[in-house]
Each structure stands twice: as C-alpha cells, then as structure tokens.
Amino acid sequence: MASESVSGSQHASDNFGESIFSKMIKAGHRTYFLDVKATRNKDYFMTITELRKKITDNGTENERNKVFLYQEDFEKFAKSFNDAMEFVKRSMEQDKREF
C-alpha cells in the first residue's frame, strides 16, 4: 500500500531542505519513504528512507536507513534501477520455465 502527499511532509530527523513531495510505501515490517526536497536555490534531491521494525529484548524498535540521491544523479539511478528490475523479471520468467 502506498500513499503520497505533496508539500509540507517532513520526517523529524531531516533538518534541511523543504519537502515538496512524499510517498510512503508499506511493505510488511518495512516502510519506505521517498521524499523529494528542494534547497533554497531550488536544487532538488531525494531521500530514500527505510524504516524497519525490529523486535528486541526491550520491545519493538525502529531501525532507519537513509540514502540521499542528488538531482544530477536522478537519471542514472532511474536507469540502473529499471535495469535491475528488468533483470529480476527475466530471471523469474526463466526460473518458471526451468520447472
């Protein structure tokens, strides 16, 4: 399940960049956040955050991992991500044929 919002959404640990687009993706014990932000100079960057619930002796804790992706790298990242997705799709189709 995914939801998105435009403008105003900001995670507590992000102290810079105005959030102008946000998308949340719930995936089992993980939640992903894709946030597009703009600097004062209108340079865009994206943060990709994984929030994972971990069960510990002290109860449930959230583990957060974050990647910053800068505007000049958007196209390279998107192409490589799509290449990886196509590889997985082809591999899954091939695996089905082998059985």
Side-chain angles (χ1 to χ4, degrees):
M1 173 180 229
S3 66
E4 64 185 62
S5 66
V6 177
S7 77
S9 175
Q10 192 166 7
H11 300 290
S13 67
D14 297 347
N15 296 323
F16 57 90
E18 176 188 350
S19 185
I20 56 175
F21 175 86
S22 183
K23 186 154 190 138
M24 179 177 68
I25 303 130
K26 291 191 177 219
H29 293 288
R30 290 184 170 93
T31 303
Y32 300 97
F33 298 92
L34 303 176
D35 295 299
V36 177
K37 299 182 178 201
T39 65
R40 289 184 196 134
N41 295 333
K42 299 296 181 194
D43 291 325
Y44 294 107
F45 65 98
M46 183 183 310
T47 60
I48 303 168
T49 306
E50 173 202 33
L51 187 63
R52 184 172 60 174
K53 290 185 180 186
K54 290 180 72 176
I55 299 172
T56 66
D57 293 338
N58 298 330
T60 302
E61 295 179 5
N62 289 323
E63 180 179 282
R64 182 180 299 221
N65 297 299
K66 184 173 285 204
V67 173
F68 288 83
L69 183 61
Y70 298 96
Q71 184 174 352
E72 61 268 17
D73 301 323
F74 285 177
E75 291 297 323
K76 292 176 195 172
F77 184 88
K79 182 184 180 322
S80 295
F81 184 85
N82 286 331
D83 290 347
M85 291 298 298
E86 286 301 316
F87 172 80
V88 170
K89 287 178 186 176
R90 284 191 309 271
S91 295
M92 289 175 64
E93 289 172 2
Q94 185 176 6
D95 289 346
K96 287 179 185 176
R97 286 187 292 226
E98 291 179 1
F99 287 105

